[in-house]
């Protein structure tokens, strides 16, 4: 593969938004790649779907993850993919989610990553 | 309101206490960058602050352009337009004048 | 094959950063290319100059320094690093701190350096 061939990258984010710094790290990395016009997508797996929880209200001095993630369409990341089993497990219904979220079933998830050149796991 | 003393700004000219920001301070920050603020500048400065309120972060160039396009229309949602107002690095210089947090140079 | 590595584990918190260093050496020994290791999030602690290992325990810096000696670039994410006190002399000055705290074999740089390494790599691996 040549240096200049455009690569498709999938950022996989498995952590809830505030327990540690990992969800934020995934988001910063995704936004940087998008700011550099890379072809990059986000997949929220497992507890990572909690990043979509409505009405987040973190303590003062912690950025609101729900607000930050809502900027993704402006970064050119039009769709965020989320694990539908995990959403159900956490009691999140499709109606709770922003319009730019697409859900993937367990079957979808088996093939979904294959379309990407790189996977960055967080 | 009298201008803030030099000690209100750090070595790179960023406002130390963001709560001290007001329109007069913006004029002061802009003049340090060699920019005289016009209505067109103010429109973008207010937009930068609105972006920060909505998304809890300062924008990089790409989302700033998208946001301008969304809120101010296609003529102003162009990087060339922003470059004319805030030459060099519009997202960075605009955010500085708008009193948003100092960027960590992560890009 | 061109490799790029991302390290997110702390030096002693788990085995991931030690595994990353061992993997990096294996990549080079096998004749592949590795131009840059990018330390991100908690991984930036790997670059602290002041790490002291007891004489009879593994020195977490040693593996990285051996890579630097083979021209592998060791980059600490600047945003992750300054939040955690891992500063080079420029950043120390920029934030009015007393001095550099990272080992000179490491540099600090933006996420753009990860994006670039990723765009050029055939294989991108994350550790931690």
């Amino acid at each position: 593969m040549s240096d200049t061939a455009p690569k498709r990258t999938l950022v996989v984010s498995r952590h809830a938004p505030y327990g540690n710094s990992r969800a934020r790290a995934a988001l910063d990395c995704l936004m940087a790649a998008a700011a550099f016009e890379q072809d990059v997508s986000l997949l929220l797996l497992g507890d990572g779907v909690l990043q979509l929880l409505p009405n987040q209200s973190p303590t003062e001095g912690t950025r609101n993850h729900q607000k930050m993630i809502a900027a993704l369409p402006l970064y050119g990341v039009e769709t965020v993919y989320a694990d539908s089993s995990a959403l159900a497990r956490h009691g999140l219904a499709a109606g709770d989610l922003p319009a730019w979220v697409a859900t993937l079933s367990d079957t979808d998830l088996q093939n979904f990553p294959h379309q990407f050149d790189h996977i960055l796991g967080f | 309101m009298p201008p803030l003393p030099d000690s209100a700004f750090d070595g790179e000219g960023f406002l130390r206490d963001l709560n001290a920001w007001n329109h007069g301070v913006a004029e002061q920050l802009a003049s340090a960058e060699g920019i005289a603020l016009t209505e067109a500048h103010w429109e973008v400065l207010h937009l930068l602050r609105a972006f920060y309120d909505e998304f809890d972060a300062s924008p990089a160039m790409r989302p700033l352009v998208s946001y301008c396009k969304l809120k101010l229309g296609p003529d102003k949602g162009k990087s060339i337009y922003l470059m004319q107002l805030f030459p060099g690095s519009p997202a960075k210089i605009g955010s500085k004048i708008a009193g948003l947090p100092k960027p960590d140079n992560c890009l | 094959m061109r490799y790029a590595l991302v390290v997110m584990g702390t030096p002693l918190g788990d085995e991931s950063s030690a595994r990353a260093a061992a993997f990096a050496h294996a990549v080079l020994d096998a004749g592949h290319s590795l131009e840059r290791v990018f330390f991100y999030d908690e991984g930036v602690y790997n670059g602290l100059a002041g790490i002291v290992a007891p004489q009879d325990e593994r020195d977490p810096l040693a593996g990285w320094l051996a890579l630097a000696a083979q021209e592998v670039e060791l980059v600490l994410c600047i945003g992750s690093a300054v939040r955690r006190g891992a500063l080079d002399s420029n950043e120390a000055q920029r934030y009015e701190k007393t001095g550099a705290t990272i080992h000179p074999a490491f540099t600090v740089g933006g996420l753009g350096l990860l994006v670039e390494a990723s765009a050029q790599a055939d294989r991108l691996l994350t550790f931690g």
Side-chain angles (χ1 to χ4, degrees), chain A residues 16-38:
Chain A
Y18 305 109
N20 58 40
S21 57
R22 213 39 85 79
R24 170 68 189 283
L27 200 51
D28 286 347
C29 182
L30 178 78
M31 285 178 169
F36 283 105
E37 317 261 317
Q38 303 294 300

Side-chain angles (χ1 to χ4, degrees), chain A:
Chain A
M1 207 175 273
S2 82
D3 287 356
T4 50
K7 299 248 165 49
R8 300 196 67 203
T9 300
L10 179 65
V11 171
V12 179
S13 190
R14 302 165 184 271
H15 287 264
Y18 305 109
N20 58 40
S21 57
R22 213 39 85 79
R24 170 68 189 283
L27 200 51
D28 286 347
C29 182
L30 178 78
M31 285 178 169
F36 283 105
E37 317 261 317
Q38 303 294 300
D39 182 341
V40 64
S41 301
L42 174 64
L43 171 63
L44 302 172
L45 278 187
D47 288 352
V49 301
L50 291 170
Q51 295 174 41
L52 298 170
L53 206 62
N55 306 318
Q56 292 176 25
S57 143
T59 50
E60 180 83 25
T62 300
R63 292 200 193 173
N64 185 314
H65 201 85
Q66 181 193 5
K67 285 183 167 189
M68 291 185 77
I69 209 170
L72 286 177
L74 295 175
Y75 278 81
V77 179
E78 305 290 347
T79 307
V80 168
Y81 300 93
D83 169 357
S84 60
S85 304
L87 287 167
R89 207 159 51 241
H90 287 293
L92 279 161
D96 300 328
L97 304 175
W100 37 263
V101 174
T103 59
L104 298 177
S105 69
D106 291 352
T107 320
D108 295 335
L109 282 172
Q110 286 175 8
N111 294 315
F112 183 74
H114 294 154
Q115 59 188 295
F116 296 93
D117 298 292
H118 290 320
I119 294 180
L120 263 166
F122 287 89

